Amino acid sequence: MAKKEEVKFALALGGGGARGLSHLGILQTLDREGLQPDLIIGTSIGSIVGAAYCLHPDGLEVTRRALAYLKGDSFANNPFRKVLFHSEDVEQNFLSSWIQSIKKSYVFSSLIRKRSIFDGRRLLAVICDMIPDVTFADTKIPFAVPAIDIRSGEEVLICEGPIRPALLASCSLPGFFPPVEHEGRLLMDAGVIGPVPVSACRRRDPKLLVAVDISNQLEFVENVDIGLDAIMRVEAIAGRRINDIELEKADIVIQPEVGQKVWSDFSDLDELVERGIHVAKQHIPEIRERLFASQRSKLWKAVTPS
């Protein structure tokens, strides 16, 4: 991204853990229709999918590799995965277990003593399994990763240097993983201020900005019985409002039907990819029309006397 070339089609890939497999279906569909983005910016799981695709712009092949890894022994035997991700030998998904632990004060007391619940090296190991040790200059499509500098409070857009540390910062959810030291900054997941990096894409002034939102929709709840539940409910409402405001800045918003699937549930992976394919097909006519309209406008300006 060193050269500030005109961006015709920017794609913002949002965070959402396992739900990010639907990103792969969307990229497959764009490939099939000959509608490849010329800029991708991703948050959290969106950063990993975005990096994999920008290094090898073949949605079908990237999907094949991702599914092979997530269904393989390397991921299944990763001790971090057994703790964090939903599997057959875990009765509850991690998020539910974490909430229950908070209620029993286990996690709270742990966070008082340590920087995070998990060692960041476990997360880095997963990233290293999926993304080679390369730099942003090696991508075939311009790519960037937003993160939050918790020292200054500023959002940082990383587009130079090694890719793996940038992905680690983007996936380091506060409290779960430690912040990442990077060029004098202390970086964490930018999803806390917006799961979909629309504003980051807008900085490049694309002619068309498509945002992919894989966050859960806010559902009605009947009762909020205890104080912790009230805090978490208000946090969810605030997050949804912030996300909605961010999505208004996009030209097109794609929202795969991921239901209430929790971010740590890596079951039914193929179904998530298929949901991405299904929803992307519905938006292809609008994406094509918007791109062609932009091209027609540019051509008209070029041939019209000033």
Side-chain angles (χ1 to χ4, degrees):
M1 288 181 61
K3 295 181 179 179
K4 298 297 183 181
E5 298 176 352
E6 180 185 61
V7 176
K8 299 182 180 67
F9 176 13
L11 185 65
L13 299 178
R19 299 188 296 271
L21 272 292
S22 59
H23 288 322
L24 296 171
I26 291 168
L27 290 168
Q28 280 188 43
T29 304
L30 292 174
D31 277 355
R32 195 174 298 119
E33 298 292 334
L35 298 171
Q36 190 177 83
D38 47 11
L39 169 67
I40 295 179
I41 297 180
T43 295
S44 194
I45 188 66
S47 71
I48 295 178
V49 172
Y53 181 79
C54 289
L55 287 166
H56 304 283
D58 183 334
L60 196 60
E61 178 61 18
V62 171
T63 300
R64 185 192 66 77
R65 292 180 182 179
L67 292 178
Y69 171 69
L70 294 171
K71 294 178 181 180
D73 292 339
S74 178
F75 186 66
N77 295 327
N78 189 305
F80 166 67
R81 186 262 191 189
K82 289 184 177 181
V83 174
L84 182 60
F85 299 133
H86 178 85
S87 60
E88 292 180 356
D89 59 346
V90 179
E91 292 184 2
Q92 293 178 302
N93 67 70
F94 175 77
L95 187 58
S96 297
S97 301
W98 183 70
I99 292 172
Q100 293 302 320
S101 296
I102 287 181
K103 293 177 180 178
K104 296 176 182 178
S105 298
Y106 298 153
V107 171
F108 182 72
S109 60
S110 176
L111 287 175
I112 291 177
R113 298 192 305 270
K114 301 188 300 181
R115 298 181 80 192
S116 61
I117 300 170
F118 299 112
D119 188 332
R121 290 174 295 183
R122 298 280 180 86
L123 177 58
L124 180 59
V126 173
I127 292 172
C128 291
D129 281 343
M130 301 183 73
I131 304 296
D133 187 13
V134 295
T135 70
F136 282 88
D138 295 310
T139 61
K140 296 179 175 63
I141 295 174
F143 173 63
V145 176
I148 290 296
D149 180 2
I150 60 175
R151 287 187 175 126
S152 67
E154 297 176 340
E155 182 178 20
V156 178
L157 192 61
I158 309 172
C159 56
E160 296 178 340
I163 283 183
R164 284 176 174 174
L167 301 183
L168 180 61
S170 183
C171 294
S172 292
L173 191 65
F176 287 90
F177 305 105
V180 177
E181 288 278 0
H182 182 75
E183 296 183 354
R185 296 179 181 270
L186 198 58
L187 303 178
M188 302 207 76
D189 182 2
V192 296
I193 62 167
V196 189
V198 179
S199 292
C201 281
R202 274 292 171 218
R203 296 183 196 176
R204 291 298 308 277
D205 192 27
K207 301 300 181 184
L208 175 66
L209 198 169
V210 176
V212 184
D213 175 28
I214 56 172
S215 59
N216 288 137
Q217 297 301 308
L218 198 64
E219 291 193 335
F220 177 83
V221 296
E222 190 68 40
N223 297 306
V224 179
D225 297 320
I226 63 174
L228 180 60
D229 290 338
I231 292 173
M232 296 188 69
R233 179 62 177 175
V234 171
E235 180 75 14
I237 293 170
R240 186 71 251 176
R241 292 289 183 89
I242 291 172
N243 194 40
D244 289 344
I245 292 170
E246 186 77 351
L247 292 175
E248 288 177 357
K249 302 171 188 175
D251 298 307
I252 297 174
V253 178
I254 299 178
Q255 294 176 305
E257 294 183 4
V258 293
Q260 291 302 306
K261 190 177 187 69
V262 296
W263 60 273
S264 56
D265 180 2
F266 276 73
S267 62
D268 301 322
L269 302 180
D270 295 278
E271 174 62 22
L272 285 169
V273 176
E274 286 300 319
R275 291 184 184 186
I277 292 172
H278 176 73
V279 71
K281 287 179 178 178
Q282 298 174 17
H283 289 275
I284 290 300
E286 184 181 7
I287 293 174
R288 196 182 300 280
E289 173 58 30
R290 293 260 191 151
L291 283 173
F292 289 169
S294 174
Q295 292 173 6
R296 287 195 300 268
S297 175
K298 182 177 180 180
L299 181 60
W300 178 255
K301 291 178 181 178
V303 300
T304 302
S306 56

